[in-house]
Amino acid sequence: MMVLRGRFTRRGGGAIVHFEHPPIPDVIRFAGADWRAKREFHVTLAGTTTMRALTADPDEMIKRAARRLAFTIAPRQELWHVRENETRAIIRMCDVEGAEEFFVRMEREMQIVIARPPYHVTLYTIGTLRGIGLPTRAELERLGEEIAGPDRAAIMSVIQ
């Protein structure tokens, strides 16, 4: 299994882990459309909306929660097609080592339970350069469908 070293970053009041994904084709054909590859790859641990709902000063808390943690990303074989209005994305689910300790630290400090997001990386998009925010598993299931069978095999053959 591929394991990639992550670089933790605070961005816009949120928390993400950047990493170098192996090269993927600039454009793929899927579901009758041409999809553009993302130029940077990251997994969102806590998006801006989530963090704003939790605290008035998310930056300091995020910094403390991430202190001295190492993050690694292990992409899984699970792909999803996600749609929101005119925006579409192909995402790859991931395991993120270090994420659980990050959340445990935030929960300890805030004394609340924080729902874990469905860890994923956006690989390809239509109608956006950013991707689609998926703060919860319920949101993933509402907006997406898992890519299976020959479609999954075809995409996996070009992105590995």
Side-chain angles (χ1 to χ4, degrees):
M1 173 154 73
M2 173 176 32
V3 176
L4 306 163
R5 190 175 144 85
R7 189 178 78 256
F8 183 83
T9 308
R10 294 184 324 280
R11 181 165 81 186
I16 62 177
V17 179
H18 284 278
F19 65 98
E20 291 297 320
H21 192 284
I24 60 176
D26 287 339
V27 177
I28 62 168
R29 187 105 181 129
F30 171 73
D34 289 332
W35 296 73
R36 289 232 161 264
K38 290 262 314 234
R39 291 286 167 232
E40 65 78 39
F41 299 103
H42 70 268
V43 174
T44 301
L45 297 182
T48 308
T49 306
T50 300
M51 288 308 300
R52 267 200 227 114
L54 297 176
T55 179
D57 185 16
D59 280 342
E60 277 306 308
M61 179 181 305
I62 288 169
K63 196 184 330 183
R64 284 191 301 274
R67 188 167 288 135
R68 289 193 280 286
L69 283 180
F71 293 91
T72 58
I73 290 85
R76 300 195 330 229
Q77 301 295 304
E78 182 182 347
L79 300 173
W80 284 69
H81 177 194
V82 183
R83 297 174 196 182
E84 185 176 53
N85 302 320
E86 302 305 308
T87 302
R88 295 164 63 187
I90 295 172
I91 65 171
R92 186 174 187 178
M93 304 312 288
C94 303
D95 295 318
V96 181
E97 187 70 35
E100 186 58 26
E101 180 61 25
F102 171 79
F103 280 108
V104 165
R105 290 174 180 185
M106 286 204 339
E107 289 173 332
R108 193 178 308 132
E109 184 167 332
M110 297 174 70
Q111 300 192 348
I112 60 167
V113 175
I114 302 170
R116 307 310 190 249
Y119 301 127
H120 68 278
V121 58
T122 301
L123 299 176
Y124 290 94
T125 62
I126 292 177
T128 181
L129 297 176
R130 300 184 61 210
I132 297 171
L134 299 168
T136 64
R137 180 78 191 189
E139 197 69 357
L140 170 65
E141 291 173 2
R142 184 178 75 79
L143 296 175
E145 61 186 324
E146 189 169 353
I147 301 169
D151 286 337
R152 186 188 74 79
I155 294 171
M156 291 304 292
S157 73
V158 298
I159 66 168
Q160 299 219 53

